[in-house]
């Protein structure tokens, strides 16, 4: 049996150190399997958050060899095992213990985003008609499993700690999913501009790169939202037009 | 009384998957103060794993569908030991619950004329499953979550409940701990809704996540509530079997709904070899008719690959046992073959089954648009659970309600695919509604400090035994044992052995030790969860011993036939005064004539 070494961050509330654990590896193993095996055989109180082990719940986010990834979807055969595999908690969120971080900020951010507001039903029986092409656009965003890896990698949050000013890629995608929802009549552009900090994103596309659901975060969600904000608030012709239009916006 | 962090609410909902969220939303809408306790982070519950769709007779795709057909399909699938009243309510109310999800922001796949698209699924006569590709559960939980966060719910994420609290006969709250700090919390409430999901972690090969340790079943049982149908545990026919680390991971039935077929190592469509009489009239007898059915031909009958899960799981087991299995001990599930039938098949498969494509590509290096998958049965769903009043979802103990997988009745001996997501919203809503009503008519009860002290002492015991055997070895032993002795095919001798093992494992659990401290300590959580796992394992085994026949998901090698007498009754389980499991056989109440007639007509 082959063995591999895993260099895992151990400690609490930001403090701690890497510790090495060797364990046997078998066919098809993912990083989360190795962590579980180490937990069961060597160090029972190793803290790790996980749930579905199928890439569907987004609980086991971590940084593997420095890359933000889901532990349950990272195959060992995709990593160079001749050197130790480093596993660290996400850096953008407050550390709790070992591999677990406090991601509650994300849940608070979501509550600030104006909720879905459907138009009146299209049919007398209270139902709507939607074309699949219109559904497609938001279905891409609704694939999000809320692993928060995009938040982790975003330098506005990670390096500049602008958690108060910027909602991060996850919630720009969430806002885009609402703004482009075929039935939605809400308007979140003012909030995007003044509270959600959409201008802070300088489209480095790191978020798109780490998304385990392959959501085209920057191109399909953030840039169209930026365009909408620019069209409304920074386009001089449009501004003039709205000044003289009876309804205004 | 020791000082605990104390929370007071009208309604306490334990579990934040589809059923718990829907209950919390409903109770909150009724104007009462609601606490929602979630073992994981919000939105991570097992509902996200549901793939294929939500069953509701919307008749958007086939206008012959209506609640009566859905009712008859559900009863047939459950082999007629279901609660007919729950099956009736479910079939009638599911369409409104689906449309309500749309009104809350869910984006289902669409028909050409813009309605909600519905797909074929095992045991459903017409295309009935509203879906979003193969990630319907995620869509549903996210919709409920995003709707719920604006309703002023008090959400307690990563909290685990240890016991329900009682004042006399009535349930008046719960006591548990938070994972992050390991502090104990007292939740006082006028009504409590259990929505904790299933028991799959008692088995080695399972599609269930770590949370599924039978918490609600066990909490209710120890609080004196009756459980029922615990012998009926569904093994989903198609789990991944290779590589070993993903063994048990679910492969959605939608693969077969979209035209995927089961073959043995000789390439034979073995599902045609054994079609049960109950389904003979509505099952295709040749491959060509089966294909026409999945393509939407209304005159074609359903292919046998889409027979109910219990039957398909046993057929797969038979093929493997008789030496016709695949290299890793399963059979083949082939969707790639549809390229013979339709252009752009690969693109079509990726569009319809995106997460299946992704899952196999990433975890098994297999491209399902090109080659067949290897599949085998995996522990998936507990039909049994808390015995509830069909209309109000109240348990036999006042103030306690249950909904979703941890409640029993709707599915009888075997659940149809797609009937789980609809169960969650139909009965989640009802539980929330009636719990709120109960809360309005009752005040907070008295808490017995002794009950809290005992629970706290019990929970902390493992820390006093540092250096003793850890909890994981005991958990693995239990899982392997239940898989071997109380699995898909059961017999008396093996189940009696299982009971002995359970006693041994209980003793071992009493000696388990953990190291470290209480903050986010996974081994401590595992040690605590063992108690619930053992409780439900014993109940499953005793109920399975008691039902001396084969029906639905419960198959007895020593009683391989159906027995008419057992078809008239449910096995009800309650904790006896001596603390031991007590079983009784309860006759199923007579079905009203109009429902009987529906079943006759749909034969």
């Amino acid at each position: 049996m082959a063995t591999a070494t895993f260099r895992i961050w151990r400690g609490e509330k930001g403090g701690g150190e890497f510790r090495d654990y060797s364990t046997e590896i078998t066919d098809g193993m993912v990083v989360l399997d190795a962590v579980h095996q180490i937990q069961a055989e060597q160090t029972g109180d190793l803290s790790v958050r996980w749930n579905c082990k199928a890439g569907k719940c987004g609980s086991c986010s971590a940084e593997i060899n420095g890359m933000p990834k889901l532990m349950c979807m990272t195959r060992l055969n995709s990593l160079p095992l001749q050197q130790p595999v480093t596993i660290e908690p996400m850096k953008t969120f407050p550390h709790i213990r070992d591999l677990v971080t406090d991601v509650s900020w994300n849940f608070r951010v979501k509550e600030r985003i104006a909720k879905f507001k459907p138009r009146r039903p299209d049919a007398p029986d209270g139902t709507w008609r939607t074309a699949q092409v219109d559904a497609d656009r938001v279905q891409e965003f609704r694939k999000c499993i809320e692993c928060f890896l995009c938040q982790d990698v975003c330098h506005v949050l990670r390096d500049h700690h602008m958690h108060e000013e910027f909602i991060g890629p996850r919630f720009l995608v969430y806002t885009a999913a609402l703004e482009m929802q075929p039935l939605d009549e809400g308007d979140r552009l003012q909030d995007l501009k003044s509270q959600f900090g959409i201008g802070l994103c300088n489209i480095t596309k790191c978020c798109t790169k780490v998304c385990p659901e392959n959501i085209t975060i920057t191109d399909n969600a953030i840039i169209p939202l930026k365009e909408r904000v620019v069209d409304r608030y920074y386009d001089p012709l449009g501004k003039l037009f709205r000044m003289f239009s009876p309804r205004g916006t | 009384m020791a000082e605990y962090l104390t929370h007071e609410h009208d309604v306490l909902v334990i579990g934040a998957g589809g059923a718990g969220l829907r209950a919390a939303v409903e109770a909150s809408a009724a104007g009462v103060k609601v606490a929602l306790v979630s073992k994981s982070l919000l939105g991570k519950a097992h509902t996200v794993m549901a793939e294929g769709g939500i069953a509701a007779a919307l008749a958007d795709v086939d206008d012959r569908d209506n609640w009566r057909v859905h009712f008859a399909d559900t009863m047939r699938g459950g082999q007629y030991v279901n609660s007919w009243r729950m099956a009736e309510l479910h079939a009638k109310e599911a369409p409104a619950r689906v449309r309500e999800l749309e009104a809350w922001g869910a984006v289902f796949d669409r028909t050409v004329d813009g309605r909600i698209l519905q797909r074929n699924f095992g045991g459903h006569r017409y295309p009935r499953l509203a879906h979003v590709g193969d990630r319907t559960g995620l869509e549903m939980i996210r919709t409920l979550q995003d709707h719920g966060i604006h309703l002023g719910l008090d959400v307690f994420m990563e909290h685990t409940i240890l016991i329900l609290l009682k004042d006399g006969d009535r349930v008046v709250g719960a006591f548990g701990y938070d994972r992050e700090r390991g502090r104990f919390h007292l939740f006082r409430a006028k009504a409590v809704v259990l929505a904790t999901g299933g028991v799959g972690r008692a088995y080695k090969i399972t599609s269930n996540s770590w949370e599924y340790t039978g918490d609600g079943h066990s909490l209710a049982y120890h609080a004196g509530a009756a459980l029922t149908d615990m012998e009926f545990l569904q093994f989903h026919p198609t789990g991944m079997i290779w590589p070993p680390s993903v063994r048990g991971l679910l492969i959605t039935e939608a693969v077969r709904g979209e035209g995927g077929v089961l073959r043995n190592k000789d390439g034979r469509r073995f599902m045609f070899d054994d079609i049960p009489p109950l389904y003979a009239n509505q099952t295709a007898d040749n491959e060509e008719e089966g294909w026409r059915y999945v393509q939407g031909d209304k005159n074609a009958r359903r292919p046998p690959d889409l027979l109910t899960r219990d039957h398909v799981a046993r057929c797969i087991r038979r093929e493997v046992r008789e030496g016709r299995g695949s290299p890793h001990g399963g059979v083949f599930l082939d969707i790639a073959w549809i390229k013979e039938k339709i252009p752009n098949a690969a693109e079509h498969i990726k569009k319809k089954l995106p997460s299946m494509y992704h899952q196999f590509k990433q975890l098994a290096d297999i491209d399902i648009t090109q080659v067949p998958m290897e599949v085998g049965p995996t522990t998936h769903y507990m039909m049994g659970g808390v015995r509830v009043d069909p209309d109000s979802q109240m348990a036999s103990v006042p103030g306690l309600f249950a909904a979703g997988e941890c409640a029993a009745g709707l599915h009888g001996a075997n659940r149809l695919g797609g009937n789980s997501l609809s169960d969650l919203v139909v009965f989640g809503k009802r539980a929330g509604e009636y719990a709120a009503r109960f809360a309005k008519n009752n005040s907070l009860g008295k808490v017995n400090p002794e009950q809290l002290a005992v629970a706290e002492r019990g929970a902390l015991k493992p820390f006093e035994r540092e250096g003793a055997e850890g909890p994981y070895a005991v958990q693995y032993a239990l899982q392997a044992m239940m898989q071997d002795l109380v699995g898909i095919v059961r017999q008396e001798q093996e189940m009696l052995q299982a009971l002995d093992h359970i006693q041994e494992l209980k003793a071992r659990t009493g000696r388990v030790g953990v190291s470290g401290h209480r903050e986010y300590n996974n081994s401590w959580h595992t040690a605590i969860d063992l108690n619930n796992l053992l409780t439900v394992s014993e109940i499953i085994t005793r109920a399975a011993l008691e039902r001396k026949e084969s029906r639905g998901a419960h198959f007895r090698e020593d009683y391989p036939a159906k027995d008419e007498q057992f078809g008239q009754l449910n096995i009800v389980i309650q904790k006896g005064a001596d603390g031991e499991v007590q079983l009784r056989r309860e006759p199923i109440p007579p079905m009203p004539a109009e429902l009987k007639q529906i079943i006759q007509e749909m034969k």
Side-chain angles (χ1 to χ4, degrees), chain B residues 78-82 232 547 549 551 562-570 586-588:
Chain B
Q79 308 256 348
Y80 304 108
V81 291
N82 329 44
F232 298 123
R547 188 172 282 277
E549 65 154 354
R551 181 177 298 272
K562 253 191 273 197
D563 177 317
E564 210 171 298
Q565 274 192 321
F566 275 104
Q568 315 290 321
L569 57 88
N570 296 118
E586 254 185 37
I588 295 169

Side-chain angles (χ1 to χ4, degrees), chain B residues 35 49 61 95-96 138 143 158 188 276 307 317 406 468 528 545 583:
Chain B
M49 302 283 287
V61 169
L138 172 66
T143 300
E158 298 196 312
R188 301 182 65 196
L307 282 163
R317 188 177 179 275
C406 76
I528 289 174
L545 273 164
L583 300 171

Side-chain angles (χ1 to χ4, degrees), chain B residues 32-337:
Chain B
V32 302
K33 197 175 167 219
V34 180
L36 180 62
V37 171
S38 172
K39 201 168 169 180
S40 287
L41 296 175
L42 192 60
K44 309 295 186 195
H46 214 276
T47 306
V48 300
M49 302 283 287
E51 293 165 348
I54 173 166
L58 299 163
D60 280 358
V61 169
D62 193 321
D63 58 13
R64 292 172 297 180
D65 203 12
N66 58 57
W67 78 264
R68 303 163 86 243
V69 192
H70 193 183
F71 166 77
D73 286 351
T74 301
M75 293 297 295
R76 185 186 303 106
Q79 308 256 348
Y80 304 108
V81 291
N82 329 44
S83 154
W84 47 261
R85 176 63 178 160
M86 281 176 80
E88 177 193 5
L89 290 170
H90 168 256
K92 283 181 173 166
E93 294 176 4
R97 295 288 81 76
V98 171
R99 294 196 180 110
E100 177 179 80
L101 288 172
E102 184 162 61
W104 292 345
V107 184
F108 291 104
D109 287 354
R110 317 308 299 185
T111 63
V112 182
D113 64 348
R115 293 164 199 267
I116 294 174
L117 182 60
Q118 298 181 272
R119 68 158 45 118
N120 290 310
F121 236 59
H124 293 281
R125 178 169 289 202
Y126 302 121
R128 188 176 285 146
L129 269 67
H131 61 278
V132 184
D134 54 6
R135 53 163 195 84
T136 315
L138 172 66
E139 185 70 15
M140 194 167 116
I141 198 167
R142 201 65 83 228
T143 300
L144 291 168
Q145 172 190 350
D146 295 349
H147 183 72
I149 57 172
H150 297 287
L151 296 175
L153 308 172
D154 289 331
V155 181
F156 297 84
M157 295 197 282
E158 298 196 312
H159 282 57
T160 301
I161 298 299
L162 294 164
I163 52 164
L164 296 176
L165 306 176
K166 287 184 80 177
D167 178 3
D169 276 348
R170 210 184 110 198
V171 168
V172 295
F175 182 68
Y177 66 93
D178 65 82
R179 293 168 76 73
E180 182 178 338
R181 304 279 302 279
R183 296 169 302 190
F184 290 99
H185 294 251
L186 166 61
F187 294 91
R188 301 182 65 196
K190 297 168 186 168
V192 175
V193 179
L194 292 174
T196 55
V199 307
R201 278 279 142 185
Y203 286 76
K204 186 175 165 188
I205 301 173
T206 177
S207 65
N208 293 175
S209 77
W210 71 270
E211 294 184 289
Y212 262 36
T213 50
D215 294 4
H217 297 83
S218 183
L219 291 170
Y221 169 78
H222 289 299
L227 310 184
T228 191
D229 294 343
M230 292 295 287
E231 66 276 31
F232 298 123
L233 179 65
Q234 180 168 79
F235 296 87
H236 193 291
T238 60
M240 285 178 85
I241 57 170
W242 191 261
S245 80
V246 295
R247 189 157 191 151
L249 208 60
L250 190 67
I251 301 164
T252 174
E253 195 166 311
V255 174
R256 284 168 284 147
E258 298 294 341
V261 298
L262 291 163
R263 295 182 200 277
N264 64 19
K265 76 173 168 55
D266 308 317
R268 182 173 173 80
R269 300 263 311 260
F270 59 87
M271 289 307 300
F272 281 101
D273 299 343
D274 177 12
I275 296 170
L278 203 54
Y279 284 91
N281 286 339
Q282 43 175 273
T283 305
D285 53 16
N286 63 83
E287 298 186 11
E288 186 270 332
E289 184 182 3
W291 171 251
R292 281 196 286 117
Y293 175 89
V294 295
Q295 290 304 291
D297 181 342
K298 293 185 178 177
N299 297 316
R301 291 171 300 174
R302 200 162 53 220
D305 311 82
L306 284 171
L307 282 163
T308 52
R309 290 174 174 177
D310 52 340
H311 181 75
V312 180
R314 279 193 297 275
C315 289
I316 292 175
R317 188 177 179 275
R318 179 196 68 213
E319 293 301 305
V320 175
R321 285 246 161 155
E322 293 175 10
R324 296 185 295 274
S326 65
H328 300 105
V331 295
F332 294 106
L333 172 61
D334 188 3
I335 182 79
W337 83 282

Side-chain angles (χ1 to χ4, degrees), chain A:
Chain A
M1 280 285 186
T3 65
T5 302
F6 295 84
R7 185 161 289 172
I8 302 176
W9 187 260
R10 299 300 307 269
E12 287 160 42
K13 315 261 170 352
E17 59 183 4
F18 279 115
R19 274 189 229 154
D20 284 2
Y21 301 90
S22 285
T23 196
E24 270 184 17
I25 58 167
T26 48
D27 251 353
M29 248 169 113
V30 294
V31 170
L32 186 61
D33 291 319
V35 170
H36 280 156
Q37 202 165 291
I38 290 163
Q39 191 184 47
E41 293 171 1
Q42 301 178 45
T43 175
D45 66 340
L46 166 61
S47 304
V48 56
R49 181 185 277 135
W50 70 287
N51 239 33
C52 76
K53 203 180 166 296
K56 292 193 168 74
C57 78
S59 298
C60 64
S61 305
E63 299 185 8
I64 300 165
N65 287 348
M67 282 297 289
K69 284 183 175 190
L70 296 177
M71 286 187 268
C72 72
M73 295 302 277
T74 306
R75 292 274 296 274
L76 293 184
N77 66 5
S78 70
L79 301 168
L81 296 181
Q82 59 279 19
Q83 62 204 55
V85 175
T86 63
I87 314 175
E88 301 163 80
M90 289 191 286
K91 294 219 176 64
T92 292
F93 308 112
H95 189 217
I96 295 178
R97 188 178 175 193
D98 301 339
L99 299 176
V100 179
T101 56
D102 175 2
V103 293
S104 59
W105 170 77
N106 293 286
F107 293 86
R108 291 193 297 275
V109 170
K110 192 188 249 187
E111 287 177 28
R112 289 164 48 204
I113 300 168
K115 67 177 184 183
F116 174 64
K117 188 179 155 204
R119 66 170 186 249
R120 289 166 62 89
D122 302 331
D125 64 355
T127 60
W128 288 272
R129 300 291 175 270
T130 306
Q132 183 61 47
V133 285
D134 294 327
D136 280 342
R137 194 157 65 149
V138 286
Q139 282 179 340
E140 181 193 3
F141 305 145
R142 294 182 67 88
K143 287 195 301 187
C144 172
I145 56 174
E146 300 196 331
C147 62
F148 308 127
L149 289 172
C150 58
Q151 307 286 72
D152 183 44
V153 80
C154 175
H155 65 99
V156 181
L157 300 170
R158 186 184 179 97
D159 300 325
H160 303 291
H161 311 291
M162 298 179 82
H163 294 68
E164 292 301 314
E165 296 88 345
F166 185 54
I167 61 174
R170 160 59 193 141
F171 295 105
L172 292 173
V173 167
Y174 178 72
T175 308
L178 287 163
E179 285 290 299
M180 300 179 199
Q181 221 282 9
L183 310 185
D184 181 74
E185 286 187 326
D187 185 339
R188 299 159 191 89
L189 293 190
Q190 174 67 43
D191 289 347
L192 277 170
K193 173 174 167 282
S194 56
Q195 290 184 46
F196 300 164
I198 188 157
L200 290 167
C201 165
N202 56 352
I203 52 176
T204 54
K205 301 196 182 185
C206 308
C207 50
T208 305
K209 246 178 243 155
V210 300
C211 177
E213 286 291 312
N214 300 312
I215 300 170
T216 322
I217 300 174
T218 319
D219 289 355
N220 289 356
I222 299 180
I223 291 175
L225 288 182
K226 279 177 174 276
E227 285 169 351
R228 289 181 186 202
V229 169
V230 167
D231 279 352
R232 178 174 305 170
Y233 297 104
Y234 301 101
D235 173 12
L237 275 178
K239 207 168 185 177
L240 209 61
F241 179 74
R242 276 193 301 276
M243 272 169 72
F244 294 105
S245 100
R247 287 170 59 213
T249 40

